[in-house]
Amino acid sequence: MAPNSPRARRPGGARSARTSLGDRLRAWRHHHRDSLRDALNRMRAAPSSALMTVLVIAIALALPAGLAVLLDNARVITKGWDGNAHLSVFLEMDVDEDRQRRLADDWADFDTVKRTEVITRAQALDEFKALSGFGDVLEALPDNPLPPLIVVYPDNTAPGQVEALQTRLNALPEVDNAQLDVAWVRRLHAIIELGDRLIGVLTLGLAAAVVLVVVNTIRLAIESRREEIVVIKIVGGTDGFVRRPFLYSGFCFGFAGGVLSLVLVGTALWWLGGPIDELLNIYESEHSLTGMSPSTVLVLPLFSGTLGLLGAWLAVSRHLGDVEPQF
């Protein structure tokens, strides 16, 4: 039979092409790269609107970040103050110096006491003369009006423990009054704790605002590219293929806002650094204003980018399904 005869020909038709896993991974990687490039190009194509979106995100994140840095500085400055927490225990006037020292040694053996310090009546008078400037007036007094004093440093500065020790010392017959000298420090720590809670609430609220800003931005981008999305779906583009560029756009908006928020916070700290350091020097503090920690510098842009990615995902999930080919 001749090779060109009809019977020698094999039936023709469409053949299915098989795609290897390597080709799929390579195409997936290339599309991610192209999606990122497309997101950056679209931001550069509309710089004013992109800058406004990034600036809104940056301001929203800079406020809690800046407050957190200031609060961390306040916490560092007051960190060692609890170590100076002590009780000033004023004894009865008729307690002599020997009895005063024995009481101090006995109290130093308490489980809740770290150490004690004896200040005799003569020492208290000399110190008062040096600090008050009324030395001549005090010399004219017939007797030393100051009581003997024992300074007690508690082992545990928790409010409940210190108050229990204060009650125990006040119950002793030789004690006239046991006074806690650092109650204002505890008030300051309570304010710092309240500041922590407020910053947490503020961060959650402004993070939600960032997500909503990105949702609105991506929604407008979807509407402006409706015809392009319809064409992609007509030629067989999947939802994941259509979704990916918008997700990268949301991440880029968020990441850029996080980086700009670092710049805003750094600029604000630089502007406030001089007056704050001068104030600390007036109070003879060895501390100075410190900036954001390296972990914060790394985490904030990634956190902001994640918020942008979340906002883009919500926008795409809500609005992309409404863009379908109409036949």
Side-chain angles (χ1 to χ4, degrees):
M1 184 178 294
N4 294 330
S5 63
R7 291 185 180 181
R9 297 175 184 173
R10 295 183 178 180
R15 296 182 181 180
S16 61
R18 295 182 178 180
T19 305
S20 66
L21 180 60
D23 293 336
R24 293 180 182 181
L25 291 176
R26 189 159 39 251
W28 179 81
R29 186 177 67 252
H30 288 169
H31 188 250
H32 273 275
R33 182 194 60 193
D34 294 340
S35 297
L36 176 59
R37 186 180 301 164
D38 177 72
L40 295 175
N41 289 335
R42 290 183 183 275
M43 291 177 67
R44 285 196 294 265
S48 58
S49 60
L51 180 61
M52 291 296 295
T53 301
V54 171
L55 189 59
V56 170
I57 296 174
I59 294 174
L61 294 176
L63 182 58
L67 292 177
V69 171
L70 294 178
L71 195 62
D72 287 340
N73 278 271
R75 188 180 291 108
V76 170
I77 293 173
T78 60
K79 185 177 181 180
W81 290 3
D82 268 349
N84 295 324
H86 60 272
L87 290 164
S88 296
V89 184
F90 297 95
L91 305 179
E92 298 290 347
M93 294 294 292
D94 57 353
V95 176
D96 57 26
E97 187 174 333
D98 292 336
R99 179 59 178 162
Q100 181 184 5
R101 296 188 183 279
R102 287 196 301 270
L103 287 173
D105 292 337
D106 293 340
W107 296 349
D109 295 332
F110 288 177
D111 294 337
T112 56
V113 174
K114 182 188 300 182
R115 63 185 178 91
T116 58
E117 180 181 349
V118 173
I119 299 178
T120 63
R121 297 179 64 191
Q123 291 172 343
L125 183 62
D126 293 339
E127 184 177 351
F128 187 73
K129 287 179 180 179
L131 296 177
S132 65
F134 295 103
D136 296 337
V137 176
L138 294 173
E139 289 291 345
L141 295 177
D143 193 11
N144 185 354
L146 300 179
L149 172 66
I150 299 177
V151 181
V152 178
Y153 293 89
D155 184 62
N156 189 341
T157 57
Q161 297 289 339
V162 176
E163 291 173 2
L165 178 60
Q166 182 183 16
T167 302
R168 180 180 180 182
L169 293 175
N170 272 322
L172 298 176
E174 298 88 352
V175 175
D176 180 50
N177 182 29
Q179 181 178 344
L180 180 61
D181 294 338
V182 290
W184 66 277
V185 176
R186 288 179 174 76
R187 296 189 189 102
L188 178 60
H189 286 182
I191 293 174
I192 291 177
E193 178 66 23
L194 177 61
D196 274 333
R197 302 289 180 89
L198 291 177
I199 289 176
V201 173
L202 187 63
T203 300
L204 291 177
L206 292 177
V210 169
V211 172
L212 293 177
V213 168
V214 176
V215 166
N216 185 64
T217 301
I218 299 303
R219 180 185 65 82
L220 295 177
I222 292 174
E223 291 298 326
S224 65
R225 298 169 62 181
R226 175 180 288 270
E227 295 180 358
E228 176 186 344
I229 296 172
V230 169
V231 172
I232 292 175
K233 288 189 173 184
I234 289 176
V235 298
T238 63
D239 288 341
F241 185 89
V242 177
R243 182 190 304 119
R244 197 166 294 138
F246 295 106
L247 296 182
Y248 271 104
S249 295
F251 179 81
C252 290
F253 278 119
F255 188 84
V259 173
L260 184 57
S261 69
L262 294 177
V263 176
L264 295 178
V265 173
T267 304
L269 292 176
W270 170 80
W271 186 60
L272 296 173
I276 291 178
D277 288 341
E278 183 178 355
L279 180 63
L280 293 174
N281 290 331
I282 292 174
Y283 284 95
E284 299 180 353
S285 174
E286 298 179 355
H287 299 280
S288 61
L289 183 66
T290 59
M292 290 176 287
S293 63
S295 61
T296 302
V297 174
L298 293 176
V299 169
L300 185 58
L302 295 178
F303 173 70
S304 180
T306 303
L307 293 177
L309 184 62
L310 176 61
W313 181 272
L314 293 176
V316 171
S317 300
R318 171 63 181 84
H319 301 285
L320 193 59
D322 299 335
V323 183
E324 292 292 341
Q326 300 295 327
F327 298 104

